[in-house]
Amino acid sequence: MKPHTPPPLGLAHFTCIDVAPLDLVPLAATIGYKAVGLRLYPAFPGAPFYALPAGSDVSREMCRRLDGDGVHVYDIEFVPITEDFVPASLTETLEAAGALGAKRLSVCGDDPDRGRLIANFAGLCDLAGQFGMGVDLEVMPWRQVRTIHDAAAVVRDAGRRNGGLLVDALHLSRSGGDPADVSALPPEFIMSAQLCDAPAIRPTSTEAIIQEARAGRLPPGQGDLPLSRLIAELPDHTTLSVEVPNAGLPAEEHLRRVFQAAQQTITAATLS
Protein backbone atom coordinates (compact mmCIF):
# COMPACT_ATOMS: atom_id res chain seq x y z
CA MET A 1 0.00 0.00 0.00
CA LYS A 2 1.44 3.37 -0.99
CA PRO A 3 1.41 6.10 1.67
CA HIS A 4 -1.52 8.51 1.35
CA THR A 5 -3.20 6.17 -1.14
CA PRO A 6 -5.78 3.90 0.50
CA PRO A 7 -6.41 0.69 -1.45
CA PRO A 8 -9.65 0.22 -3.38
CA LEU A 9 -12.48 -0.39 -0.94
CA GLY A 10 -15.38 -2.79 -1.37
CA LEU A 11 -18.88 -2.66 0.07
CA ALA A 12 -20.42 -5.72 1.69
CA HIS A 13 -24.11 -5.91 0.78
CA PHE A 14 -25.10 -6.44 4.43
CA THR A 15 -24.03 -2.84 5.06
CA CYS A 16 -27.19 -1.73 3.27
CA ILE A 17 -29.06 -4.95 2.58
CA ASP A 18 -32.35 -3.18 1.79
CA VAL A 19 -30.82 -1.65 -1.34
CA ALA A 20 -31.35 -3.91 -4.35
CA PRO A 21 -28.29 -4.75 -6.48
CA LEU A 22 -29.35 -2.58 -9.44
CA ASP A 23 -29.52 0.44 -7.14
CA LEU A 24 -26.50 -0.51 -5.06
CA VAL A 25 -24.04 -0.29 -7.94
CA PRO A 26 -24.55 3.37 -8.96
CA LEU A 27 -24.84 4.39 -5.31
CA ALA A 28 -21.55 2.70 -4.44
CA ALA A 29 -19.84 4.22 -7.47
CA THR A 30 -21.01 7.73 -6.58
CA ILE A 31 -19.49 7.45 -3.12
CA GLY A 32 -16.19 5.93 -4.24
CA TYR A 33 -16.45 2.19 -3.59
CA LYS A 34 -14.67 0.15 -6.23
CA ALA A 35 -16.40 -3.16 -5.61
CA VAL A 36 -19.58 -4.56 -4.12
CA GLY A 37 -20.51 -7.83 -2.53
CA LEU A 38 -23.95 -9.21 -3.24
CA ARG A 39 -26.25 -11.26 -1.04
CA LEU A 40 -27.40 -13.88 -3.54
CA TYR A 41 -28.12 -16.57 -0.94
CA PRO A 42 -29.99 -16.37 2.40
CA ALA A 43 -27.56 -16.41 5.33
CA PHE A 44 -30.23 -17.98 7.53
CA PRO A 45 -33.92 -18.87 7.04
CA GLY A 46 -35.89 -15.72 6.29
CA ALA A 47 -32.83 -13.56 5.69
CA PRO A 48 -33.04 -11.15 2.72
CA PHE A 49 -31.29 -12.01 -0.52
CA TYR A 50 -31.60 -11.21 -4.22
CA ALA A 51 -31.87 -13.57 -7.19
CA LEU A 52 -29.95 -12.57 -10.33
CA PRO A 53 -30.14 -15.69 -12.54
CA ALA A 54 -27.51 -15.98 -15.25
CA GLY A 55 -28.94 -14.98 -18.63
CA SER A 56 -31.88 -13.10 -17.13
CA ASP A 57 -32.80 -9.52 -18.00
CA VAL A 58 -31.86 -8.37 -14.50
CA SER A 59 -28.45 -10.04 -14.77
CA ARG A 60 -27.74 -8.37 -18.11
CA GLU A 61 -28.84 -5.00 -16.73
CA MET A 62 -26.61 -5.54 -13.71
CA CYS A 63 -23.63 -6.15 -16.00
CA ARG A 64 -24.39 -2.96 -17.92
CA ARG A 65 -24.47 -0.93 -14.73
CA LEU A 66 -21.27 -2.48 -13.43
CA ASP A 67 -19.48 -1.64 -16.69
CA GLY A 68 -20.93 1.84 -16.86
CA ASP A 69 -20.12 2.77 -13.28
CA GLY A 70 -16.67 1.18 -13.12
CA VAL A 71 -17.58 -1.08 -10.20
CA HIS A 72 -17.03 -4.83 -10.04
CA VAL A 73 -18.59 -7.62 -8.00
CA TYR A 74 -15.97 -9.02 -5.67
CA ASP A 75 -17.87 -11.62 -3.69
CA ILE A 76 -21.26 -13.16 -3.10
CA GLU A 77 -22.63 -14.40 0.17
CA PHE A 78 -23.61 -16.05 2.40
CA VAL A 79 -23.64 -19.84 2.55
CA PRO A 80 -23.60 -21.90 5.76
CA ILE A 81 -21.98 -25.31 5.24
CA THR A 82 -24.26 -27.32 7.52
CA GLU A 83 -24.49 -31.05 8.10
CA ASP A 84 -27.00 -31.48 5.26
CA PHE A 85 -25.15 -29.22 2.79
CA VAL A 86 -24.61 -30.47 -0.76
CA PRO A 87 -22.13 -28.46 -2.89
CA ALA A 88 -24.10 -29.08 -6.11
CA SER A 89 -27.04 -27.16 -4.60
CA LEU A 90 -25.02 -23.97 -5.20
CA THR A 91 -24.60 -24.51 -8.95
CA GLU A 92 -27.18 -21.96 -10.08
CA THR A 93 -26.03 -19.41 -7.52
CA LEU A 94 -22.42 -19.76 -8.63
CA GLU A 95 -23.47 -19.58 -12.27
CA ALA A 96 -25.29 -16.32 -11.51
CA ALA A 97 -22.24 -14.98 -9.66
CA GLY A 98 -19.88 -15.99 -12.45
CA ALA A 99 -22.01 -14.16 -15.01
CA LEU A 100 -21.48 -10.99 -12.96
CA GLY A 101 -17.72 -11.51 -12.72
CA ALA A 102 -17.65 -12.34 -9.00
CA LYS A 103 -14.31 -13.58 -7.65
CA ARG A 104 -15.15 -15.13 -4.27
CA LEU A 105 -17.95 -16.91 -2.40
CA SER A 106 -18.21 -16.37 1.37
CA VAL A 107 -19.21 -19.31 3.57
CA CYS A 108 -19.22 -20.34 7.22
CA GLY A 109 -18.65 -23.80 8.67
CA ASP A 110 -21.49 -25.15 10.79
CA ASP A 111 -21.18 -28.92 10.58
CA PRO A 112 -20.03 -30.76 13.74
CA ASP A 113 -18.61 -33.59 11.59
CA ARG A 114 -15.16 -32.24 10.73
CA GLY A 115 -14.42 -34.76 7.99
CA ARG A 116 -17.69 -34.04 6.21
CA LEU A 117 -17.19 -30.29 6.61
CA ILE A 118 -13.74 -30.47 5.03
CA ALA A 119 -15.02 -32.65 2.19
CA ASN A 120 -17.91 -30.29 1.47
CA PHE A 121 -15.64 -27.23 1.59
CA ALA A 122 -13.29 -28.93 -0.86
CA GLY A 123 -16.19 -29.93 -3.11
CA LEU A 124 -17.53 -26.38 -3.07
CA CYS A 125 -14.08 -25.03 -3.99
CA ASP A 126 -14.01 -27.43 -6.94
CA LEU A 127 -17.46 -26.31 -8.07
CA ALA A 128 -16.67 -22.59 -7.63
CA GLY A 129 -13.49 -23.07 -9.63
CA GLN A 130 -15.58 -24.03 -12.65
CA PHE A 131 -16.93 -20.46 -12.58
CA GLY A 132 -13.56 -18.80 -12.01
CA MET A 133 -14.23 -18.24 -8.31
CA GLY A 134 -12.65 -19.05 -4.96
CA VAL A 135 -14.27 -19.77 -1.61
CA ASP A 136 -13.60 -17.86 1.63
CA LEU A 137 -14.36 -19.48 4.98
CA GLU A 138 -15.44 -16.91 7.57
CA VAL A 139 -15.13 -17.41 11.31
CA MET A 140 -18.27 -16.88 13.40
CA PRO A 141 -18.05 -17.52 17.16
CA TRP A 142 -21.51 -19.10 17.31
CA ARG A 143 -20.82 -21.58 14.50
CA GLN A 144 -18.85 -24.83 14.54
CA VAL A 145 -15.88 -23.07 12.90
CA ARG A 146 -15.43 -20.60 15.74
CA THR A 147 -11.85 -19.36 15.52
CA ILE A 148 -9.41 -18.35 12.85
CA HIS A 149 -7.31 -21.40 13.76
CA ASP A 150 -10.33 -23.66 13.15
CA ALA A 151 -10.90 -22.03 9.78
CA ALA A 152 -7.26 -22.22 8.74
CA ALA A 153 -7.19 -25.92 9.56
CA VAL A 154 -10.22 -26.56 7.32
CA VAL A 155 -8.65 -24.63 4.44
CA ARG A 156 -5.34 -26.44 4.92
CA ASP A 157 -6.89 -29.91 5.12
CA ALA A 158 -9.19 -29.28 2.15
CA GLY A 159 -6.09 -28.60 0.09
CA ARG A 160 -7.69 -26.46 -2.62
CA ARG A 161 -5.74 -23.61 -4.18
CA ASN A 162 -8.87 -21.46 -4.48
CA GLY A 163 -9.82 -21.95 -0.81
CA GLY A 164 -9.10 -19.13 1.62
CA LEU A 165 -10.22 -17.17 4.66
CA LEU A 166 -12.31 -14.06 5.15
CA VAL A 167 -11.14 -12.15 8.22
CA ASP A 168 -13.98 -10.14 9.75
CA ALA A 169 -12.69 -7.66 12.34
CA LEU A 170 -15.64 -8.18 14.68
CA HIS A 171 -15.71 -11.97 14.46
CA LEU A 172 -11.96 -12.14 14.97
CA SER A 173 -12.28 -10.17 18.19
CA ARG A 174 -15.39 -11.88 19.54
CA SER A 175 -13.90 -15.34 18.90
CA GLY A 176 -10.91 -14.47 21.09
CA GLY A 177 -8.59 -13.78 18.18
CA ASP A 178 -6.02 -11.06 17.68
CA PRO A 179 -4.25 -9.49 14.68
CA ALA A 180 -1.17 -11.51 15.62
CA ASP A 181 -3.16 -14.66 14.83
CA VAL A 182 -3.61 -13.37 11.28
CA SER A 183 0.09 -12.74 10.75
CA ALA A 184 0.86 -16.29 11.90
CA LEU A 185 -1.12 -17.83 9.02
CA PRO A 186 0.17 -18.55 5.52
CA PRO A 187 -0.36 -15.30 3.56
CA GLU A 188 -2.03 -17.16 0.70
CA PHE A 189 -4.86 -18.15 3.04
CA ILE A 190 -5.90 -14.53 3.68
CA MET A 191 -7.80 -13.39 0.62
CA SER A 192 -10.45 -11.06 2.04
CA ALA A 193 -11.08 -8.89 5.09
CA GLN A 194 -14.10 -6.95 6.32
CA LEU A 195 -13.72 -3.85 8.46
CA CYS A 196 -16.04 -2.53 11.13
CA ASP A 197 -15.67 -1.46 14.75
CA ALA A 198 -17.18 -2.22 18.14
CA PRO A 199 -16.66 -1.59 21.87
CA ALA A 200 -13.78 -3.40 23.54
CA ILE A 201 -16.05 -5.36 25.88
CA ARG A 202 -17.26 -8.65 24.40
CA PRO A 203 -20.98 -9.41 24.80
CA THR A 204 -21.58 -12.03 27.48
CA SER A 205 -24.01 -14.35 25.69
CA THR A 206 -24.18 -16.04 22.32
CA GLU A 207 -27.47 -14.27 21.59
CA ALA A 208 -25.88 -10.89 22.31
CA ILE A 209 -22.88 -11.70 20.10
CA ILE A 210 -25.22 -12.56 17.21
CA GLN A 211 -27.26 -9.40 17.77
CA GLU A 212 -24.12 -7.26 17.80
CA ALA A 213 -22.88 -8.82 14.56
CA ARG A 214 -26.19 -8.25 12.79
CA ALA A 215 -27.19 -4.85 14.17
CA GLY A 216 -24.56 -3.39 16.50
CA ARG A 217 -21.44 -2.76 14.43
CA LEU A 218 -19.83 0.68 14.31
CA PRO A 219 -18.01 2.41 11.45
CA PRO A 220 -14.24 1.86 11.51
CA GLY A 221 -12.47 4.12 13.98
CA GLN A 222 -15.53 4.68 16.17
CA GLY A 223 -14.93 1.79 18.54
CA ASP A 224 -12.08 -0.02 20.22
CA LEU A 225 -11.15 -2.90 17.91
CA PRO A 226 -7.41 -2.97 16.96
CA LEU A 227 -8.09 -2.12 13.32
CA SER A 228 -4.74 -0.45 12.65
CA ARG A 229 -2.92 -3.55 13.86
CA LEU A 230 -5.18 -5.80 11.84
CA ILE A 231 -4.67 -3.82 8.64
CA ALA A 232 -0.92 -3.86 9.22
CA GLU A 233 -0.92 -7.66 9.56
CA LEU A 234 -2.98 -8.38 6.45
CA PRO A 235 -1.06 -9.48 3.33
CA ASP A 236 -0.86 -6.83 0.63
CA HIS A 237 -3.05 -8.86 -1.71
CA THR A 238 -5.99 -8.91 0.73
CA THR A 239 -9.17 -7.33 -0.62
CA LEU A 240 -10.74 -4.93 1.90
CA SER A 241 -14.42 -4.18 2.28
CA VAL A 242 -16.66 -2.68 4.95
CA GLU A 243 -19.54 -4.41 6.68
CA VAL A 244 -21.53 -2.15 8.98
CA PRO A 245 -25.30 -2.78 8.80
CA ASN A 246 -27.42 0.33 8.58
CA ALA A 247 -29.27 1.32 11.75
CA GLY A 248 -31.87 3.53 10.10
CA LEU A 249 -30.03 6.30 8.25
CA PRO A 250 -30.82 7.11 4.61
CA ALA A 251 -28.83 4.64 2.52
CA GLU A 252 -26.53 7.15 0.84
CA GLU A 253 -25.78 8.93 4.11
CA HIS A 254 -24.89 5.68 5.83
CA LEU A 255 -22.73 4.36 2.99
CA ARG A 256 -20.87 7.66 2.69
CA ARG A 257 -20.30 7.81 6.46
CA VAL A 258 -18.90 4.27 6.54
CA PHE A 259 -16.74 4.89 3.45
CA GLN A 260 -15.15 8.01 4.90
CA ALA A 261 -14.54 6.33 8.26
CA ALA A 262 -12.90 3.35 6.60
CA GLN A 263 -10.67 5.50 4.40
CA GLN A 264 -9.50 7.48 7.40
CA THR A 265 -8.80 4.29 9.35
CA ILE A 266 -6.88 2.67 6.49
CA THR A 267 -4.85 5.81 5.85
CA ALA A 268 -3.94 6.13 9.53
CA ALA A 269 -2.93 2.46 9.63
CA THR A 270 -0.68 2.71 6.57
CA LEU A 271 1.02 5.84 7.87
CA SER A 272 1.67 4.56 11.37
Side-chain angles (χ1 to χ4, degrees), residues 88-129:
S89 66
L90 267 292
T91 300
E92 290 185 2
T93 300
L94 288 167
E95 183 181 23
L100 299 174
K103 302 301 181 185
R104 311 292 298 180
L105 166 69
S106 299
V107 305
C108 67
D110 210 13
D111 185 347
D113 185 317
R114 177 179 168 81
R116 183 173 56 203
L117 172 63
I118 292 169
N120 279 329
F121 181 78
L124 186 54
C125 286
D126 292 341
L127 180 62

Side-chain angles (χ1 to χ4, degrees), residues 72-191:
H72 69 273
V73 176
Y74 176 67
D75 64 341
I76 62 167
E77 55 179 16
F78 186 83
V79 178
I81 302 180
T82 56
E83 56 192 64
D84 58 351
F85 176 76
V86 177
S89 66
L90 267 292
T91 300
E92 290 185 2
T93 300
L94 288 167
E95 183 181 23
L100 299 174
K103 302 301 181 185
R104 311 292 298 180
L105 166 69
S106 299
V107 305
C108 67
D110 210 13
D111 185 347
D113 185 317
R114 177 179 168 81
R116 183 173 56 203
L117 172 63
I118 292 169
N120 279 329
F121 181 78
L124 186 54
C125 286
D126 292 341
L127 180 62
Q130 297 177 26
F131 299 96
M133 296 175 61
V135 183
D136 286 331
L137 182 57
E138 182 176 2
V139 168
M140 292 185 174
W142 62 91
R143 307 280 192 177
Q144 292 293 323
V145 178
R146 295 182 175 88
T147 72
I148 196 167
H149 303 294
D150 295 337
V154 171
V155 172
R156 181 195 65 227
D157 292 347
R160 297 302 191 267
R161 292 176 61 87
N162 63 334
L165 302 178
L166 189 163
V167 179
D168 179 290
L170 181 66
H171 295 324
L172 179 67
S173 169
R174 294 334 190 205
S175 63
D178 182 85
D181 295 318
V182 175
S183 64
L185 297 177
E188 63 270 20
F189 279 17
I190 311 297
M191 301 304 300

